[in-house]
Amino acid sequence: MLTERPTGVLGGTFDPIHVGHLRTACELLAGLDLAEIRFIPARLPPHRPPAAAPEALRLRMLEAAIRDVPGFRVDDRELRRTGPSYMVDTLQSLRDELGARPLCLILGFDAFMGLPTWHRWREIPGLAHLVVARRPGFAATVEGELGELLAARSIRDPALLGRVAAGSILVRDVTRLEVSASAIRDLMAKGGDPRYLVPDAVRELLLKTHVYANPEEVRFSAQ
């Protein structure tokens, strides 16, 4: 039996990274005693339109947002991989790299409910635990095959996440912050200021590049 602090995996387009992402990650890092959380930006998301911001800028914003935050790490493996950014492939590559270390895939409840639409989704619990971040007081009925999976694999004790490499589902309440990347993009398209919705370093990049106000004019170098 393992006794090892798990690695958290938080994927997304991060278009842009915002305080909602960061607060959830902060609470889960501490509350679940994770060794780290890897923020993994998607190159080509399978379930939504392509990101508005260029890959290099999304990566730079993510790096700026979590710089010097203990336990937070940027992982660009999906940006370096061709084809759709399927999470099952990402988890398999992490498993190949990290061996039997416990992995925790962090999902919002809406994303969890949509799990059966994911590519090779049935393989995912064999590669990682699922940590489902839920707003306090939120309730939803989970039915069908996903409901059966939840009933069979649900746990309440976070300590169990470090004892096996994968396979459990933990639903965890996190602070409710009504912030979304799409709302930030809409705000900036109208000339608004994202102050306090994103970290200051990210705000500076957004205002400098005008990525959501005039995307056709964006010129961004990763250098």
Side-chain angles (χ1 to χ4, degrees), residues 15-16 18-21 177-186 197-198:
D15 190 26
H18 57 68
V19 295
H21 299 127
L177 293 178
E178 296 294 348
V179 181
S180 72
S182 60
I184 293 170
R185 295 194 299 270
D186 291 345
L197 298 173
V198 298

Side-chain angles (χ1 to χ4, degrees), residues 96-178:
D96 293 343
E97 175 186 313
L98 300 177
R101 180 183 303 177
L103 295 176
C104 292
L105 175 61
I106 299 168
L107 302 170
F109 208 96
D110 289 344
F112 174 69
M113 293 290 282
L115 190 65
T117 67
W118 289 25
H119 182 61
R120 290 163 47 204
W121 75 277
R122 293 178 183 84
E123 299 176 32
I124 289 176
L127 295 168
H129 302 296
L130 303 183
V131 172
V132 183
R134 180 179 64 182
R135 301 187 303 273
F138 178 83
T141 301
V142 184
E143 300 177 332
E145 193 171 355
L146 185 63
E148 295 172 1
L149 182 72
L150 179 61
R153 297 177 179 261
S154 181
I155 63 170
R156 294 187 178 183
D157 183 1
L160 297 176
L161 298 172
R163 296 181 185 174
V164 293
S168 297
I169 302 176
L170 176 70
V171 178
R172 183 81 170 188
D173 285 352
V174 295
T175 298
R176 178 176 180 174
L177 293 178
E178 296 294 348

Side-chain angles (χ1 to χ4, degrees), residues 158-222:
L160 297 176
L161 298 172
R163 296 181 185 174
V164 293
S168 297
I169 302 176
L170 176 70
V171 178
R172 183 81 170 188
D173 285 352
V174 295
T175 298
R176 178 176 180 174
L177 293 178
E178 296 294 348
V179 181
S180 72
S182 60
I184 293 170
R185 295 194 299 270
D186 291 345
L187 173 69
M188 297 203 70
K190 298 173 183 175
D193 187 334
R195 188 189 297 271
Y196 306 130
L197 298 173
V198 298
D200 288 343
V202 174
R203 174 178 176 266
E204 291 176 8
L205 285 167
L206 291 174
L207 295 176
K208 178 181 179 180
T209 61
H210 306 286
V211 61
Y212 302 127
N214 298 293
E216 69 280 358
E217 298 178 9
V218 172
R219 299 291 185 271
F220 180 78
S221 172

Side-chain angles (χ1 to χ4, degrees), residues 4 7-9 13 15 20 25 27 34 36 45-46 52 65 77 79 92-93 124 133 155 162 188 215:
E4 186 172 1
T7 289
V9 177
T13 53
D15 190 26
E27 293 182 9
L34 302 179
E36 64 177 0
R77 70 185 61 224
L79 299 182
Q92 183 61 66
S93 70
I124 289 176
I155 63 170
M188 297 203 70

